[in-house]
Each structure stands twice: as structure tokens, then as C-alpha cells.
Amino acid sequence: MPAPHASATASPQPAPAASTAGAEHYEVIVVGAGLAGLSCAFDLAVARHRVLLLEAKPFVGGRTSSWTDSDGMRVESGLHRVLGFYQAFPDLLQRAGLNVDDIIVWEDEIEFRQPPPAPSAVFSASLAHRALRTLGGIFTGNDYLPPMAKASAAKLLAVGLEDYAARPQELDHVTILDYAKQHDVHPDVIEHLLKPLTTGIFFIPAARYSAYAFFGLIAPYLPNMSKMSVGAFRGGMSEVMAQPLAEAIVREGGAVRTGAAVRELWWTNGRVRGVLTEDGPVAARHVVLATPLDAAQRFVRRHWEKETWCRPMLALRTMPAATLQIELDAPCMDVDHTTFGVGTSLACFSEQSRTTFRQTNGRLSIILAPAEKFLDMPPEQVLATALDDADRLGLKVRGHVVRYRVVNHPADFYALEPGQDALRPEQATPVPGLSLAGDYTRQVFLATMEGAVVSGRRAAEHARSSLAGGS
Ligand SMILES: Cc1cc2nc3c(=O)[nH]c(=O)nc-3n(C[C@H](O)[C@H](O)[C@H](O)COP(=O)(O)OP(=O)(O)OC[C@H]3O[C@@H](n4cnc5c(N)ncnc54)[C@H](O)[C@@H]3O)c2cc1C
């Protein structure tokens, strides 16, 4: 780690003092070292602000992290894919001195795999610009969808993108399933395209998935669509990305502290004056909360529950994600590529032994759906369920399992359900000394790495203008 770990010893919670005299002091404290916090702290450090980034876990990265468990198994927060049309995300890496191509392996293909005899299909991962002309173009040369369904899918995409541009709020009042039905979309498009995409990309079924969030997977990227490609990480995400970003913050003069959970905001005399940690108070002129939504709601509710500015944010719902990661004695697929397990609990998965976890003989990372079903399930039952579906999909997993881990995120995501988008808060708050960052805060890139980086950048801008304005 770039900075020493804080002591894990708990000490009595200090009472908030009226004066910051005697406390460790920074210009800005950023709470949470996910991509939003890393992006924010990096921008502030580059701008020569005295910034301290505090992370509760023993490692940086948040939902883009990786670690080694006590038995030596390499684990990640979950299967991630970098999209070639992201802009803020690669820009952050480059500015921090990282070479994107050293970190990402670009994949050639995406697969939609169904239990036989239903057809499966492998598509080029870099043809989305053709999809703008006709989605059917992606499916040319295979029988994954009948011709009528291909035309219907192309029509849905065209109408949806038009509505996204013209009336985004209206789109957020309807699920993608109802929207597709309203437009008489071919049933095969719903079963073989919409359902696997919504569960595979954002863990919730089409019947709950906002049509705004569905078209938001494409619409904001249209100007950059020619760069569409899909990339896997070339190693654990903390190791190849988050930790080097933390090191860049330290190089720029910032400080990064892991194992340092913030208990409470230090709020006295009408402004935020820092944070209270297990090791005592740390003072700052400005604090950026870059935690996931549920933690941010707890901090905000504590002081401002009755204030109108935060009511929408406190009403914003969370949704879970569930993942299973299996180390194998041999690869379970011939290539490492992103696969949607249509009609199974293996919503999205990839073999990773040639990309992310090269030290293993075989490695399967799976996003499970519906997530709610798996949250309270004993790990052995999760594995048993996944093995049954892996058998149905023809994956060579049963009999090859070396060890496995279930990694869940019960409340890390804001819900991509109808009516939720309008509740997302801006990065700027009316509270003196406080900004918000995180993928749930308002930006058009949804709950993605791109969205997290953009939110961090905006929070840094707000912090800087508050400091410059003396507030
Ligand atoms: C399984 C899975 C698959 C995903 N796949 C993709 C994908 O393919 N492509 C994509 O673009 N995005 C993907 N995402 C989404 C992406 O990971 C997130 O949008 C992004 O990483 C969120 O970053 P963040 O900084 O907003 O939040 P987080 O990464 O959650 O960071 C918040 C940090 O705050 C810390 N924290 C919380 N409370 C405290 C406290 N009290 N004190 C100090 N620190 C605290 C947390 O420990 C955490 O490190 C995926 C996410 C998951 C879970």
C-alpha cells in the first residue's frame, strides 16, 4: 500500500469538538477510495490541495478491487469489463501515468450462450458502431435471432435512442420490458436480448429495469461509439489499477490511508469541519463523501434528515449484486471472453486464466442473477446452483473446482429501476464544506467505472470552487 495502514485498534469515539485546534489538519478529506474517491483525490492533489484519502478497507479500489484471501485464492469484487468508448476513465489512468494497454486486454468477442438445443452465438466485441446503423448487422451470419426479430431489435434501438434524447424523464417511468411491449417488439428480442442484457449488465430483470437506464447504456457514448470494444483487466483490479492510482495521488503530494473507516462527519457551528475516525478526529476545510449510496445516506441522515436538499437522495433505493468466483484445475472455456448465460443464473461470466488471473490453471468469474436469490444462500448451495447451470451451458466446471468464493454487494448500487434516476443527487451540496462523489451521484454514465470517475472529477471541481470562495 502506498501509505501506512492505520491502527486497527478501536478507541472510544471522540465527541465532536467545537474547535479543530490540535487535530490533524488537511485542506480536503475524501472518504472512500473507490474510483470516485481516487479520481477526486487525484484531481485535488494535482491542483496542489493538501488532500487525505481515507478508505475503510485494508486495500483501495472499492467495487473495483482485488485481494488475496487467507488460503491464497485471488479474489475480485466481481467480473468487470472496460468499454472502449469510455473517456474519463482512460483519461484518469493516463494522467496518473498508467498505460491503458498495460492494464486492459481487449477482447475480440462476446458470446450469448443458451442451453442447447437453443442456438448460441459469438459476436464481434468491436462492432457496435455498426449496431447504430442496424442492430441486425451485429447478428448477420448466425441464427441467434430470426430475421423478423433482428429488424424489431433495430427498430427498438432507434426509437429508444430518440426517446432518450427527446424525453429522458418519461423513459425513466417505464421498465424496458413494458417499453418493448408498447413498441410491439418481437418476443425473441425480449427473451434472447433484453433479458440477458439487463441481468448480465446490471443484475436486475427487464421487468424491473428502467428504460432510461437501458438506453443510457449506449446513448451517452454515441459520439465515441467508433471506439466500441470490450476489455478485461490484465490482473487484479487493485493491483493493476487502484493501487497505482493511489500511488499517483501520493506522488502528487496527497496522502492515502487504508484501514481507516470514517465513523461520522465532524459537523459543528453550521459547517463540516472534518471527520471522526476510530483514531480520532481529522480536520479539513472540505470533505468529499465518496462512499457507496447506503453509507452516504447514513452520514447525511445523521445531520440533515429533515432538510429538503437531501430528501430525494435519502429516498433513492439500493440494489444488490451477487458474484461467484471459481478457481479450476483447467480452463472451462476455449477462450476468455464475456458471455451472457441466457436463461440461467449465470447472467454474465468469463474464463479469466488467460487474462486477469494468469497464475491459475482455470478461473471462472460469474455475475449471478437474480442477485436477491443468492444473497442469503449458503456458499455451497450457490456453487451447486451454478454448477447445474454450467452443466446446462456446456461449461467444463463440475469435477474441476479447486476452490471458490462468493462475493456479494448487498446494497452498493443505486437501483436502476423506474423513478429512481430523478432522485440522484448532484455532487455539489448546499452544506458548507461538503460534496458528494460516487456512481450514484448525478452523471449520465449510470453505475459504471466511467460514471464513478466523472463523479469524482465533478466533486473535486466543487470542492475547489468552495475552497476558492471561502466556504
Ligand atoms: C460485480 C460488479 C461488476 C461490475 N461490472 C462493471 C463493468 O463491467 N463495467 C463498469 O464500468 N462498471 C462495473 N461495475 C460498477 C463499478 O465497479 C462501480 O460503478 C464503480 O466502481 C463505483 O465506484 P465508487 O467509487 O462510486 O464506489 P465504490 O467502488 O463502492 O467505492 C466506495 C468506497 O468507499 C469505502 N467506504 C465506505 N464507507 C466508508 C467509511 N465509512 N470510511 C471510509 N471508507 C468507506 C468503501 O470501502 C469503498 O472502497 C461493477 C460493479 C460490480 C460490483
Side-chain angles (χ1 to χ4, degrees):
M1 282 292 133
H5 290 204
S7 157
T9 324
S11 56
Q13 185 61 38
S19 154
T20 59
E24 195 185 356
H25 204 287
Y26 288 84
E27 242 183 317
V28 187
I29 292 174
V30 180
V31 184
L35 271 174
L38 288 162
S39 147
C40 181
F42 179 75
D43 280 5
L44 289 165
V46 167
R48 293 293 162 246
H49 291 285
R50 282 197 70 231
V51 60
L52 170 66
L53 176 60
L54 293 174
E55 167 55 46
K57 292 201 173 138
F59 43 80
V60 293
R63 271 170 280 165
T64 51
S65 59
S66 55
W67 60 93
T68 305
D69 267 355
S70 52
D71 64 349
M73 179 166 172
R74 303 293 314 286
V75 189
E76 61 181 1
S77 55
L79 180 70
H80 272 70
R81 287 298 174 262
V82 176
L83 301 181
F85 46 46
Y86 287 172
Q87 287 183 304
F89 171 76
D91 179 61
L92 170 68
L93 300 184
Q94 271 158 8
R95 286 188 299 123
L98 307 178
N99 182 349
V100 176
D101 290 328
D102 289 344
I103 297 175
I104 309 296
V105 192
W106 297 105
E107 296 180 344
D108 297 331
E109 300 164 341
I110 293 175
E111 182 174 356
F112 283 63
R113 188 182 278 224
Q114 308 192 73
S120 293
V122 174
F123 306 114
S124 168
S126 56
L127 281 187
H129 54 296
R130 278 219 270 149
L132 292 180
R133 278 191 272 140
T134 159
L135 189 65
I138 289 186
F139 301 104
T140 306
N142 64 66
D143 57 1
Y144 185 69
L145 289 179
M148 290 284 285
K150 290 174 185 169
S152 175
K155 193 177 135 216
L156 175 71
L157 184 64
V159 175
L161 290 178
E162 204 179 309
D163 279 347
Y164 182 96
R167 347 167 223 287
Q169 282 91 358
E170 283 174 40
L171 266 190
D172 195 46
H173 289 301
V174 60
T175 68
I176 184 60
L177 184 62
D178 287 343
Y179 185 83
K181 286 181 179 164
Q182 282 164 18
H183 289 85
D184 294 324
V185 165
H186 195 285
D188 283 3
V189 173
I190 293 176
E191 287 309 313
H192 304 302
L193 209 54
L194 296 188
K195 289 187 176 177
L197 284 175
T198 59
T199 53
I201 297 178
F202 271 126
F203 336 120
I204 50 173
R208 282 172 46 202
Y209 197 111
S210 157
Y212 169 82
F214 186 81
F215 294 108
L217 294 169
I218 303 170
Y221 303 105
L222 287 177
N224 210 23
M225 198 50 95
S226 60
K227 296 207 175 132
M228 171 59 188
S229 47
V230 175
F233 282 94
R234 258 183 217 278
M237 289 179 279
S238 284
E239 156 199 328
V240 300
M241 177 183 71
Q243 186 163 326
L245 282 175
E247 285 162 6
I249 292 166
V250 173
R251 266 201 315 276
E252 294 291 342
V256 181
R257 208 168 287 167
T258 54
V262 167
R263 291 288 189 84
E264 210 180 303
L265 294 174
W266 186 354
W267 162 255
T268 53
N269 299 337
R271 65 169 299 122
V272 173
R273 293 180 189 276
V275 299
L276 305 177
T277 73
E278 287 184 350
D279 294 328
V282 187
R285 287 178 61 202
H286 198 95
V287 172
V288 179
L289 264 186
T291 67
L293 171 62
D294 64 333
Q297 285 172 328
R298 277 197 302 278
F299 285 118
V300 165
R301 190 172 286 119
R302 167 92 173 78
H303 299 290
W304 301 287
E305 184 166 24
K306 300 227 161 34
E307 296 195 13
T308 43
W309 73 268
C310 62
R311 265 190 219 144
M313 169 194 170
L314 294 179
L316 183 56
R317 289 198 299 270
T318 60
M319 68 175 196
T323 83
L324 172 65
Q325 299 164 43
I326 311 177
E327 199 176 304
L328 302 159
D329 61 12
C332 66
M333 297 176 78
D334 293 337
V335 282
D336 291 16
H337 65 205
T338 311
T339 307
F340 294 94
V342 184
T344 73
S345 60
L346 278 55
C348 184
F349 57 89
S350 178
E351 168 65 46
Q352 298 175 306
S353 55
R354 306 163 191 102
T355 43
T356 306
F357 294 103
R358 292 174 195 229
Q359 61 280 54
T360 56
N361 293 325
R363 188 37 164 100
L364 181 61
S365 196
I366 304 166
I367 300 215
L368 297 161
E372 287 86 352
K373 171 177 159 188
F374 293 96
L375 288 184
D376 295 324
M377 212 184 248
E380 54 282 6
Q381 203 182 331
V382 175
L383 179 69
T385 307
L387 285 178
D388 288 346
D389 277 341
D391 289 344
R392 291 173 62 216
L393 290 168
L395 299 172
K396 295 175 276 185
V397 182
R398 195 181 293 280
H400 296 279
V401 177
V402 176
R403 47 193 170 179
Y404 65 97
R405 285 295 177 283
V406 171
V407 178
N408 289 338
H409 303 268
D412 275 351
F413 287 89
Y414 79 92
L416 279 92
E417 294 171 356
Q420 296 299 293
D421 193 71
L423 305 175
R424 296 169 68 196
E426 300 289 340
Q427 290 77 31
T429 80
V431 175
L434 182 69
S435 315
L436 302 172
D439 59 0
Y440 71 90
T441 59
R442 183 153 297 284
Q443 36 74 26
V444 293
F445 304 104
L446 309 173
T448 61
M449 295 184 279
E450 178 79 355
V453 170
V454 167
S455 76
R457 202 167 62 192
R458 291 196 188 152
E461 281 162 15
H462 177 245
R464 294 192 65 203
S465 67
S466 300
L467 290 169
S471 64

